[in-house]
Amino acid sequence: MTTQQLVAEIKRKKSFLCIGLDVDLTKIPTHLLEEEDPIFAFNKEIIDATHHLCVAYKPNTAFYEAYGIKGWKALEKTINYINIKHPEIFTIADAKRGDIGNTSTMYAKAFFEDLSFDSVTVAPYMGKDSVEPFLAFENKHTILLALTSNQGAFDFQIQKINDQEVYKKVLEVSKTWKNASNLMYVVGATKAEYLEDIRQIIPDSFLLVPGVGAQGGNLQDVCKYGMTANIGLLINSSRGIIYAGNNKNFANKSAKKARELQKQMEQILNLL
């Protein structure tokens, strides 16, 4: 999917909502545990109930890898279901990969070719030769961790080297990498006050913004400082949507939560 196609879908749905499919078998409704594949059964109901309200889905691969081969097969069935039933949806493998040379190429092949995701999250710590193999894939996007929403982000990301914060160095240097136009960036919603500075460095890039909802991020603040003329934002909510209900009506409750966010986004987009 190209960036232009993503922007068109955002405008069509009046939504820049991304739903995180982070499936924990201890939290899903118990009746699903009787299914042959409870992870996929849960995801399918969530997707069926919310696909018209969001423009992206983001499975965090750890929640699938934790269940071994069964979890990986559930991930494969989930992405295939989205790609076949809702090909207009932007898909994100939240895998936080990143290694040098051929290893990154193999990670990229796994997510872009085998599983056919549109994008994958990547850690920048090992530098350009760990990221450029992902960027080499046409019409695929690499979402670089820039400034994350967790408390540990203060350990390194905002520390200064020669009077410049590390996250700013990441942003500036990444712009020089080959095929950098395929880059998007992760910026946590709990760091909204940093978005003005971030937009000075990457004024047009799409940002994946986790942390709205359960982690306390504020949608209005993120949009005030982070939105561009082409929107430039994907706002992720995971737990706040997918675990809104815990009975047989859970998907409808998830859809209600998704619609609440979508309606807020529609109001914001109408002001552009």
Side-chain angles (χ1 to χ4, degrees), residues 4-240:
Q4 292 75 17
Q5 288 172 321
L6 175 58
V7 172
E9 191 63 15
I10 288 171
K11 291 179 178 178
R12 186 179 75 85
K13 288 184 174 176
K14 298 187 182 300
S15 172
F16 43 99
L17 176 62
C18 172
I19 296 177
L21 300 175
D22 304 347
V23 187
D24 183 341
L25 290 180
T26 67
K27 294 180 179 179
I28 70 173
T30 55
H31 72 275
L32 292 175
L33 298 177
E34 300 172 5
E35 298 281 344
E36 181 180 354
D37 188 340
I39 296 174
F40 176 65
F42 177 81
N43 282 343
K44 182 179 180 298
E45 289 207 42
I46 294 290
I47 293 163
D48 288 345
T50 62
H51 66 87
H52 59 297
L53 302 169
C54 68
V55 295
Y57 287 112
K58 182 180 72 65
N60 185 318
T61 60
F63 287 83
Y64 300 83
E65 293 170 292
Y67 298 107
I69 189 64
K70 290 183 178 180
W72 198 258
K73 285 188 175 297
L75 176 62
E76 183 179 43
K77 285 194 280 187
T78 297
I79 187 63
N80 286 344
Y81 187 75
I82 296 169
N83 286 339
I84 292 169
K85 296 282 288 185
H86 307 290
E88 77 285 357
I89 296 277
F90 186 74
T91 55
I92 303 167
D94 190 1
K96 300 180 180 70
R97 297 298 199 262
D99 206 334
I100 56 172
N102 288 337
T103 308
S104 275
T105 297
M106 292 303 174
Y107 279 140
K109 283 179 176 290
F111 292 107
F112 291 153
E113 292 185 348
D114 182 49
L115 291 173
S116 295
F117 275 93
D118 292 309
S119 63
V120 61
T121 58
V122 171
Y125 187 75
M126 294 181 71
K128 74 174 184 178
D129 51 344
S130 69
V131 180
E132 286 184 338
F134 293 92
L135 296 174
F137 286 75
E138 187 175 3
N139 292 332
K140 299 291 185 178
H141 301 271
T142 301
I143 308 179
L144 205 65
L145 300 179
L147 187 59
T148 55
S149 57
N150 61 308
Q151 185 63 33
F154 294 99
D155 290 346
F156 300 116
Q157 294 168 26
I158 67 163
Q159 299 302 313
K160 290 186 176 181
I161 299 176
N162 297 328
D163 292 325
Q164 184 182 44
E165 292 91 339
V166 169
Y167 80 89
K168 291 183 180 179
K169 186 71 171 178
V170 168
L171 294 173
E172 288 188 348
V173 171
S174 69
K175 292 183 353 180
T176 70
W177 295 340
K178 188 175 181 180
N179 298 316
S181 60
N182 292 335
L183 280 170
M184 298 179 174
Y185 299 86
V186 176
V187 176
T190 56
K191 305 292 191 298
E193 66 271 23
Y194 295 88
L195 281 166
E196 276 191 295
D197 286 346
I198 288 170
R199 281 306 187 197
Q200 293 297 313
I201 303 170
I202 47 167
D204 302 315
S205 300
F206 256 85
L207 306 179
L208 172 64
V209 185
V212 169
Q215 294 184 53
N218 182 275
L219 175 63
Q220 285 69 30
D221 286 346
V222 170
C223 293
K224 179 180 178 180
Y225 298 112
M227 185 166 278
T228 69
N230 274 330
I231 296 87
L233 296 172
L234 289 172
I235 304 295
N236 182 78
S237 179
S238 301
R239 289 169 288 172

